[in-house]
């Protein structure tokens, strides 16, 4: 993952391989008023060219899509009467990297547990709310990093640190890892 401050203002870009032949290349930056004059196609193109250069590969684009004006946030209350806010309606998408699938599944499980009388949805989702708040702090800290510092953090994600990222219930907590790595910079 790299920031490319000039190409992704307050954002980042990354390539994640799916297999030996396919990968996804992503750029993301906040949709703030001062960023709206930027041309997203041009920004992506700059990043894409940099990725091809870094990997010394002429990557062929087979599919692409863009998302604009995607609002992130979290609900004040996880449940209103008999209505459960789950997935994105809960606020599952984490501000740091925009990941929300795992949290979405968890909200579904917790809602089911509440319906079955096996727990309280508001209490069960408390740690997800906490993770969201931590992720927001991380996001703001990451926006201040330059390319080299962000590269250092990504390189720091070694296996030993990843092992430490599992909480007492065996759940992986990426926010915990990154916040540890960000400590020298905030
Ligand atoms: C561009 C982008 C990239 C992302 N990348 C990642 C990632 O790499 N990793 C990650 O963990 N998360 C990622 N996320 C976040 C993740 O996709 C969401 O947090 C998660 O999918 C939310 O799950 P959900 O079930 O709440 O909603 P969704 O996955 O959006 O599911 C809602 C479903 O309901 C359907 N629907 C809507 N209205 C109706 C209706 N009236 N009747 C019937 N059906 C309806 C929709 O078509 C959709 O299929 C990304 C999100 C975006 C936008």
């Amino acid at each position: 993952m790299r920031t490319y401050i000039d190409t992704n203002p307050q954002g980042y870009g990354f390539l994640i391989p799916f297999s030996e032949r396919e990968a996804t290349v992503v750029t993301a930056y906040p949709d703030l008023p001062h960023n709206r004059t930027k041309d997203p196609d041009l920004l992506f193109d700059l990043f894409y060219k940099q990725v091809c250069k870094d990997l010394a590969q002429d990557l062929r684009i087979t599919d692409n899509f863009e998302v604009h004006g995607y609002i992130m946030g979290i609900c004040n209350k996880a449940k209103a009467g008999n209505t459960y806010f789950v997935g994105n309606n809960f606020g599952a998408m984490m501000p740091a990297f925009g990941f929300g699938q795992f949290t979405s599944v968890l909200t579904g499980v917790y809602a089911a547990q509440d319906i079955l009388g096996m727990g309280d949805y508001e209490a069960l989702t408390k740690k997800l709310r906490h993770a969201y708040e931590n992720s927001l702090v991380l996001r703001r800290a990451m926006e201040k990093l330059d390319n080299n510092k962000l590269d250092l953090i990504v390189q720091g994600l070694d296996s030993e640190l990843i092992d430490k990222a599992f909480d007492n219930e065996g759940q992986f907590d990426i926010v915990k890892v990154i916040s540890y790595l960000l400590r020298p910079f905030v």
Side-chain angles (χ1 to χ4, degrees):
M1 188 197 303
R2 310 201 68 176
T3 47
Y4 292 101
I5 295 294
D6 305 335
T7 58
N8 287 300
Q10 296 160 273
Y12 52 81
F14 58 78
L15 174 144
I16 300 179
F18 293 143
S19 67
E20 283 185 12
R21 299 188 58 80
E22 278 186 306
T24 180
V25 180
V26 171
T27 57
Y29 61 92
D31 192 12
L32 296 170
H34 59 267
N35 284 338
R36 290 199 187 125
T37 50
K38 317 265 183 215
D39 178 348
D41 293 337
L42 187 70
L43 296 180
F44 178 82
D45 199 48
L46 285 168
F47 180 69
Y48 166 71
K49 283 182 180 144
Q50 186 67 44
V51 168
C52 291
K53 194 173 153 208
D54 284 358
L55 297 177
Q57 286 183 52
D58 193 14
L59 299 172
R60 189 169 57 90
I61 298 173
T62 54
D63 196 9
N64 67 72
F65 67 90
E66 283 177 29
V67 180
H68 298 280
Y70 195 92
I71 296 171
M72 272 190 233
I74 194 156
C75 59
N76 287 328
K77 291 216 162 287
K79 187 181 167 191
N82 285 336
T83 304
Y84 295 80
F85 296 111
V86 296
N88 278 342
N89 290 319
F90 169 79
M93 202 152 147
M94 296 292 148
F97 298 108
F99 294 162
Q101 286 174 357
F102 187 62
T103 311
S104 295
V105 171
L106 283 178
T107 56
V109 171
Y110 295 154
Q113 285 182 336
D114 187 311
I115 291 165
L116 292 169
M118 292 167 63
D120 174 64
Y121 188 56
E122 207 72 63
L124 288 165
T125 50
K126 215 169 182 176
K127 57 186 171 188
L128 303 180
R129 193 178 288 281
H130 194 55
Y132 178 93
E133 282 155 11
N134 284 341
S135 182
L136 189 57
V137 173
L138 273 186
R139 170 80 216 194
R140 291 189 175 137
M142 278 172 55
E143 285 178 0
K144 294 187 188 135
L145 300 180
D146 61 21
N147 291 338
N148 293 333
K149 285 176 187 158
L150 192 57
D151 282 350
L152 259 180
I153 285 171
V154 173
Q155 281 160 20
L157 290 170
D158 60 22
S159 54
E160 198 187 324
L161 203 56
I162 297 281
D163 283 347
K164 286 186 191 152
F166 286 92
D167 66 18
N168 298 337
E169 292 165 20
Q171 281 179 13
F172 182 66
D173 188 352
I174 186 75
V175 171
K176 192 173 154 193
V177 182
I178 310 266
S179 53
Y180 179 79
L181 291 165
L182 267 172
R183 260 180 234 168
F185 306 113
V186 289

